[in-house]
Amino acid sequence: MLVYDAETSAALHEASAAPGSVTQAAALAAASAYAHLATSGTDRTAPLLVTVDRAATRTGDALRTALAAASSLAGRTAVDLDTLVSGTPAAVTLAADAEPDADRVAALTDFLQGEGDLASFATILADPTVLTAPERATVLQLLGNAWREAPVAFADAVTQHQAATATTLDAVGIVPVSDITLLATAAPLTFTVRNDLAWPVSLVLITTPGDPRLRVQNSTPIEAGAAQNTRVKVPVEARVGSGESTLTLQLRSPTMIAIGPSVPVAVAVRAEWESVGIVVMVTLIAAMLVAGVVRTVLRLRRRAAAERTQEPERTQEPEGTDADG
């Protein structure tokens, strides 16, 4: 483990949150003195670990001053973490009455689980760090020792973080689907994918039939825009004329990580209705054609009869009349 010098670190923390220059100067002087005492009579070339703990309120200038002081303590040279870890280890003994903080242990366990879930979920993004980097920063902030002085506020912060993580993991999913009636032997079914994130996502919709009655396209790629719903069409073919079946919908990332729960969809197959509908339509069309022909014939007959009635009668010439008069 890495063990930091408590007195020097406490003085640096006080300097980073000091309300005025006088208080800050006193804290920095104390930090320098504690750092000198920490290595008095020992190897001053050995690395000395100090921290500037988090604080809820402080100015950026005060924090920069404290960090600069931590990097330039009198008689010491700043080194990186690798150099610190490669130093000669020393044996330490925990206090006999030291007990782990059960609440913080439980919170850490939950943080690690949530961070892993978000890392898997973020594979649907072109840049997963837009989710994973803020999550890591938030977890580190919640693990700061400053929360030890405010257990109630810490519990509230943990609850809020858990809720925020759950909201993010639920930001992408399949919109609930009502029962579907399939009236044809083959037709595309339309489903809707919800994306509440501020970034576009890449997904794969896996569609699995519940029995051999349906044949479906198993994998359908999806590019869902930011903060919008996206419609997805999945070709489906019925192998039987009638029956009840189910489909199971599951979103996955391009790396085949499950995104959200699976969604079952009940499908009532009524493929024979397609044939019935075709027969009915053909019958109606034939009946309309026959009716049209009959109407045309009747209309022609009525017209011919009317013409015969209106035709003037021919006058007959008198018998025995001489042509010369």
Side-chain angles (χ1 to χ4, degrees):
M1 68 179 69
L2 296 178
V3 180
Y4 64 86
D5 186 78
E7 289 81 4
T8 307
S9 299
L12 289 171
H13 175 74
E14 182 180 352
S16 72
S21 58
V22 175
T23 305
Q24 186 182 63
L28 292 176
S32 180
Y34 282 128
H36 176 77
L37 294 173
T39 56
S40 179
T42 64
D43 183 8
R44 293 183 58 82
T45 62
L48 176 68
L49 176 60
V50 296
T51 68
V52 180
D53 209 350
R54 296 174 178 85
T57 57
R58 62 184 168 197
T59 65
D61 290 339
L63 178 59
R64 280 190 291 272
T65 300
L67 290 176
S71 301
S72 58
L73 291 171
R76 310 200 67 86
T77 302
V79 298
D80 57 18
L81 182 61
D82 290 337
T83 303
L84 180 65
V85 173
S86 63
T88 303
V92 295
T93 303
L94 297 177
D97 58 348
E99 293 292 338
D101 188 327
D103 293 338
R104 288 172 65 84
V105 170
L108 176 58
T109 302
D110 181 77
F111 292 159
L112 294 176
Q113 177 64 47
E115 188 176 30
D117 292 341
L118 279 178
S120 298
F121 178 80
T123 56
I124 63 178
L125 296 165
D127 181 11
T129 60
V130 297
L131 283 182
T132 58
E135 172 67 10
R136 171 54 63 92
T138 301
V139 168
L140 292 177
Q141 197 277 335
L142 289 172
L143 292 177
N145 287 332
W147 290 102
R148 289 183 178 275
E149 301 175 1
V152 176
F154 175 70
D156 292 340
V158 170
T159 300
Q160 294 175 10
H161 179 72
Q162 292 171 338
T165 300
T167 299
T168 300
L169 293 174
D170 188 53
V172 177
I174 301 172
V175 176
V177 183
S178 57
D179 295 349
I180 297 175
T181 300
L182 185 61
L183 302 179
T185 55
L189 299 183
T190 301
F191 305 105
T192 303
V193 174
R194 169 180 52 84
N195 176 21
D196 296 335
L197 294 175
W199 310 277
V201 298
S202 299
L203 298 161
V204 179
L205 177 62
I206 304 299
T207 310
T208 306
D211 54 58
R213 297 179 182 181
L214 295 178
R215 177 185 296 171
V216 301
Q217 178 175 288
N218 179 256
S219 176
T220 306
I222 305 170
E223 295 295 330
Q228 67 181 34
N229 291 343
T230 302
R231 291 184 175 274
V232 184
K233 291 184 179 296
V234 178
V236 177
E237 179 182 348
R239 293 184 174 182
V240 296
S242 179
E244 305 295 327
S245 185
T246 59
L247 293 176
T248 301
L249 308 179
Q250 174 67 68
L251 286 178
R252 293 186 177 273
S253 70
T255 56
M256 291 294 106
I257 295 176
I259 305 298
S262 60
V263 176
V265 181
V267 179
V269 181
R270 300 291 183 267
E272 77 279 1
W273 289 12
E274 182 181 32
S275 300
V276 174
I278 292 175
V279 172
V280 171
M281 290 182 62
V282 171
T283 302
L284 289 176
I285 293 174
M288 292 175 64
L289 290 174
V290 171
V293 171
V294 171
R295 289 183 60 186
T296 301
V297 171
L298 292 177
R299 185 167 56 251
L300 292 175
R301 287 183 177 180
R302 286 196 298 268
R303 183 182 298 175
E307 289 177 353
R308 287 195 299 270
T309 302
Q310 294 176 2
E311 183 180 357
E313 297 181 358
R314 294 182 178 180
T315 57
Q316 299 181 353
E317 293 183 358
E319 293 182 1
T321 302
D322 191 339
D324 294 333

